[in-house]
Amino acid sequence: MAEFRLPRNSRPVKGVTHAAPPGARALRTLRIYRFNPDGGANPRLDTFQLDAGSCGPMVLDALILIKATVDSSLTFRRSCREGICGSCAMNINGVNRLACTTAMRDLPAEIRIYPLPALPVVKDLVPDLSNFYAQYASVKPWLQTRTPASADRERLQSKEEQERIDRPAACILCACCSTACPSYWWNSERFLGPAALLAAYRWIIDSRDEATGERLDELEDPFRLYRCHTIMNCTDVCPKDLNPARAIAEIKKMLLERHS
Ligand code: SF4
Ligand code: SF4
Ligand code: FES
């Protein structure tokens, strides 16, 4: 019989509660997934009550405050604090989002924070993105050309040609989309997932690229591309308002047209 529950040693147990500092003016409660690979203990959910008046307005600000003043072992990724680097992606109240662009005032009083779903956890809120990056690299996300470059000018594009790739090229590789995709949860070893497929699409439609046929050949596979069942979770969660589901549909259309 299929087993739908997490293995016993993966189930989060109740963790430590850190009470709010005396005189807290804007009390917020954060329940945060903690996991330390050393020692073999189950993951746990720690509770942090904090004075949100002592930090900036975003969830990332609260995490930084906790790390600085309550528990320095809390582990998470972040860099730009501007929604640009994609490193602070995590699951906040059940939705994959960037902690640096998610305002606490838009969330309920209790904020639950987990790492991105369906990936191995390195520590606390840090998932292992090795497979995600390998899949991105597998679509050869760079310009491929055959014709020699002109000696005195770059490979030019018209305004319209640039605008076609403008949105797909804005992907910050945060992995919110792929880790929100049920097909990716079940087949992440073989299905490329929406982020890598959006990157593939960005190069397929680039007017300067001359490897379109090879790129489509690589994707024509029951798992790499066709495990997408147009569930649309990817597009729903993208913090940059991109549309990977549409890009995937366009790739499928191009493959269909190639055979007709
Ligand atoms: S549209 Fe495709 S890639 Fe996006 S969530 Fe659904 S199945 Fe996954
Ligand atoms: S498509 Fe959106 S959600 Fe997916 S990796 Fe790129 S920026 Fe993140
Ligand atoms: S810290 Fe860079 S996107 Fe959040």
Side-chain angles (χ1 to χ4, degrees):
M1 200 163 117
E3 171 64 76
F4 291 111
R5 299 201 65 183
L6 284 171
R8 191 169 292 279
N9 63 357
S10 299
R11 291 179 207 162
V13 297
K14 195 167 183 298
V16 185
T17 296
H18 301 270
R25 289 170 295 137
L27 193 67
R28 297 300 302 230
T29 301
L30 276 72
R31 294 199 201 283
I32 304 180
Y33 178 97
R34 309 297 307 273
F35 173 67
N36 187 339
D38 302 327
N42 272 40
R44 59 178 208 269
L45 272 188
D46 281 356
T47 302
F48 296 89
Q49 293 175 334
L50 55 94
D51 182 2
S54 312
C55 66
M58 302 300 175
V59 172
L60 182 62
D61 295 317
L63 292 175
I64 290 171
L65 178 71
I66 290 170
K67 190 169 178 72
T69 62
V70 184
D71 182 348
S72 61
S73 70
L74 178 64
T75 306
F76 53 92
R77 291 192 181 106
R78 58 101 182 90
S79 181
C80 69
R81 297 175 74 172
E82 298 286 347
I84 299 297
C85 71
S87 59
C88 68
M90 50 190 77
N91 187 278
I92 302 171
N93 284 21
V95 180
N96 295 349
R97 328 177 198 226
L98 301 178
C100 69
T101 57
T102 302
M104 285 190 276
R105 69 164 180 266
D106 295 336
L107 298 171
E110 182 178 300
I111 301 172
R112 291 180 165 255
I113 308 179
Y114 287 76
L116 289 175
L119 295 175
V121 178
V122 177
K123 190 165 189 275
D124 294 345
L125 302 174
V126 175
D128 182 350
L129 291 166
S130 309
N131 183 45
F132 177 80
Y133 291 139
Q135 288 169 322
Y136 175 66
S138 77
V139 305
K140 301 193 177 130
W142 55 81
L143 188 68
Q144 296 183 63
T145 57
R146 314 256 183 290
T147 49
S150 160
D152 57 358
R153 59 181 218 174
E154 295 163 347
R155 294 175 194 270
L156 300 179
Q157 285 188 302
S158 68
K159 184 168 177 289
E160 291 71 30
E161 287 167 344
Q162 198 287 323
E163 281 172 357
R164 284 192 81 202
I165 60 168
D166 192 48
R167 295 301 292 147
C171 172
I172 57 172
L173 287 178
C174 65
C176 282
C177 57
S178 294
T179 57
C181 168
S183 278
Y184 193 75
W185 296 343
W186 306 128
N187 294 291
S188 58
E189 295 301 320
R190 298 172 73 186
F191 172 44
L192 287 179
L197 289 169
L198 179 70
Y201 175 71
R202 176 251 176 275
W203 290 104
I204 288 169
I205 60 166
D206 191 310
S207 58
R208 300 160 301 177
D209 194 85
E210 295 168 349
T212 308
E214 292 91 324
R215 291 185 189 280
L216 289 173
D217 288 346
E218 281 295 314
L219 297 178
E220 192 159 27
D221 174 272
F223 276 88
R224 280 199 289 279
L225 173 70
Y226 288 105
R227 280 293 128 168
C228 168
H229 299 305
T230 322
I231 302 163
M232 303 291 286
N233 282 10
C234 52
T235 297
D236 275 353
V237 297
C238 177
K240 305 301 282 186
D241 287 330
L242 306 181
N243 196 338
R246 180 164 171 210
I248 295 169
E250 291 290 335
I251 298 172
K252 289 177 180 170
K253 206 163 98 189
M254 284 181 229
L255 286 167
L256 201 63
E257 282 166 359
R258 221 165 58 143
H259 290 296
S260 58

